[in-house]
Amino acid sequence: MGEEFQPLPGVKLTVRSAPAVGDRFVLSVQEPKDFDFAVHDGVILTAICRFIALVRADPELQRAYGQHADAYLKVVRSDLIPKWKPYWRDCGDGGLLVAQVDEALTYPGISLPHNQYLALGNALIWLYRITGDSAYRDQAAKMARCFKSHLRLVDNHYDWNYWDAVGEWDRPWDKPTEKRPEDTGHGSLDVSFVVDAAEAGIVFDQTDLQRLANTFLKVMWNGSLTDPAVGGAVNTAKPTRQSGNLQDWVRLSRQEPQVLAVCVKLIPQIGSVKAKAQMVRLLAESQK
């Protein structure tokens, strides 16, 4: 009794009572459900929208890829953005998305972490820039106001959490143990949204960008260019596995060139080839 055994790799069972002769155990394995995630759609759709914007801004690209861009835009507007409408929640003068309600999810029906709804917000900003449709701008502005209301101003820099309770639907999960500082990797998505919003004149401005740059330079960076390191969260200079995920932080170099100098030095420390490529692209874009 109380003996632990492992019938399958990765599965441990403990016998809590004395088994009888002939007792058998049956393990029923079910295929996990597939879920769409707003953060994944947001990252992918933002890239697609950037492509559409590039094509429409260049007559040569328009001739070569205009039909493809128009087809992509039609699908994005008619199918991919509207599918998230059931998960929208207004909160005060802001708004955000909540998770699907399904017992297969760990946190069903609660407000999404900031990075997850802001990623889709990026796509909304680009759709507004492409189409001029104010509905996209208004929804992105609500997301921006929601996120900004959770930013804490400390010594002229911003500090914030990975997740915050926003509405009554979050009450079961609104516990101190659920709060943690935003990590550097997911924070990159937050920064991307703020930069895009500021460039589009939506809620955020140059003051906000300066405060985020201060977070990077005065809190997260260790202050060295000979042996640079960046913290794994927005409130620390202590490195973690998240420290290499600096992709959109580099966009703050337009506000503070020192951010560029730090990121250039840190490229060799980034393990993922994909992340390195993205970093190099953003470094180039930050100088335009």
Side-chain angles (χ1 to χ4, degrees):
M1 190 166 64
E3 181 181 353
E4 185 179 277
F5 63 100
Q6 188 171 3
L8 293 171
V11 178
K12 292 183 178 180
L13 297 177
T14 302
V15 178
R16 299 296 184 188
S17 60
V21 175
D23 280 352
R24 295 191 301 170
F25 297 92
V26 177
L27 295 180
S28 178
V29 180
Q30 294 181 332
E31 184 179 354
K33 287 186 177 181
D34 290 326
F35 288 99
D36 289 342
F37 289 89
V39 61
H40 300 154
D41 273 16
V43 171
I44 294 169
L45 295 182
T46 296
I48 292 173
C49 289
R50 285 169 60 88
F51 165 77
I52 295 168
L54 285 171
V55 169
R56 292 194 166 192
D58 187 311
E60 187 173 341
L61 292 176
Q62 179 67 28
R63 286 191 292 273
Y65 303 107
Q67 290 186 341
H68 295 290
D70 291 345
Y72 295 158
L73 181 60
K74 182 178 179 180
V75 173
V76 171
R77 298 190 71 183
S78 64
D79 298 331
L80 302 179
I81 293 295
K83 78 178 183 180
W84 295 105
K85 185 175 180 180
Y87 308 105
W88 177 261
R89 299 291 183 272
D90 285 306
C91 47
D93 65 346
L96 81 170
L97 297 169
V98 298
Q100 298 99 313
V101 178
D102 193 290
E103 62 182 8
L105 294 174
T106 305
Y107 301 108
I110 73 166
S111 297
L112 293 181
H114 297 298
N115 78 89
Q116 295 191 22
Y117 68 86
L118 294 180
L120 196 71
N122 270 106
L124 294 173
I125 292 171
W126 279 96
L127 284 170
Y128 165 65
R129 293 175 63 170
I130 293 166
T131 67
D133 189 335
S134 61
Y136 297 129
R137 185 190 191 282
D138 294 345
Q139 189 171 11
K142 286 188 174 184
M143 291 178 171
R145 286 192 291 270
C146 179
F147 179 54
K148 191 169 186 177
S149 71
H150 292 96
L151 294 174
R152 298 182 293 273
L153 181 59
V154 183
D155 295 332
N156 205 30
H157 72 267
Y158 279 138
D159 184 19
W160 68 99
N161 296 329
Y162 170 78
W163 177 86
D164 285 289
V166 173
E168 287 296 320
W169 53 86
D170 294 319
R171 188 173 295 279
W173 311 104
D174 188 14
K175 305 170 185 176
T177 54
E178 299 297 329
K179 308 287 185 180
R180 64 175 174 84
E182 178 65 289
D183 62 80
T184 303
H186 292 111
S188 178
L189 293 172
D190 305 336
V191 169
S192 176
F193 175 84
V194 174
V195 173
D196 279 351
E199 290 180 352
I202 299 174
V203 178
F204 291 100
D205 56 24
Q206 296 301 309
T207 298
D208 298 300
L209 297 182
Q210 183 63 56
R211 289 169 177 171
L212 287 174
N214 291 344
T215 299
F216 185 85
L217 293 173
K218 297 181 178 181
V219 180
M220 300 170 66
W221 176 42
N222 67 355
S224 172
L225 285 177
T226 56
D227 187 22
V230 170
V234 300
N235 70 333
T236 180
K238 182 179 179 181
T240 71
R241 62 183 180 85
Q242 285 285 345
S243 296
N245 296 318
L246 298 174
Q247 290 89 332
D248 282 280
W249 288 94
V250 73
R251 298 179 67 190
L252 297 172
S253 60
R254 290 181 179 177
Q255 193 71 26
E256 282 287 352
Q258 187 74 61
V259 174
L260 177 64
V262 175
C263 290
V264 167
K265 291 286 187 179
L266 287 169
I267 285 179
Q269 300 181 23
I270 299 174
S272 165
V273 173
K274 181 179 178 182
K276 282 184 179 179
Q278 185 177 3
M279 181 71 136
V280 171
R281 175 182 66 79
L282 289 169
L283 281 167
E285 288 185 1
S286 70
Q287 301 309 294
K288 292 180 181 179

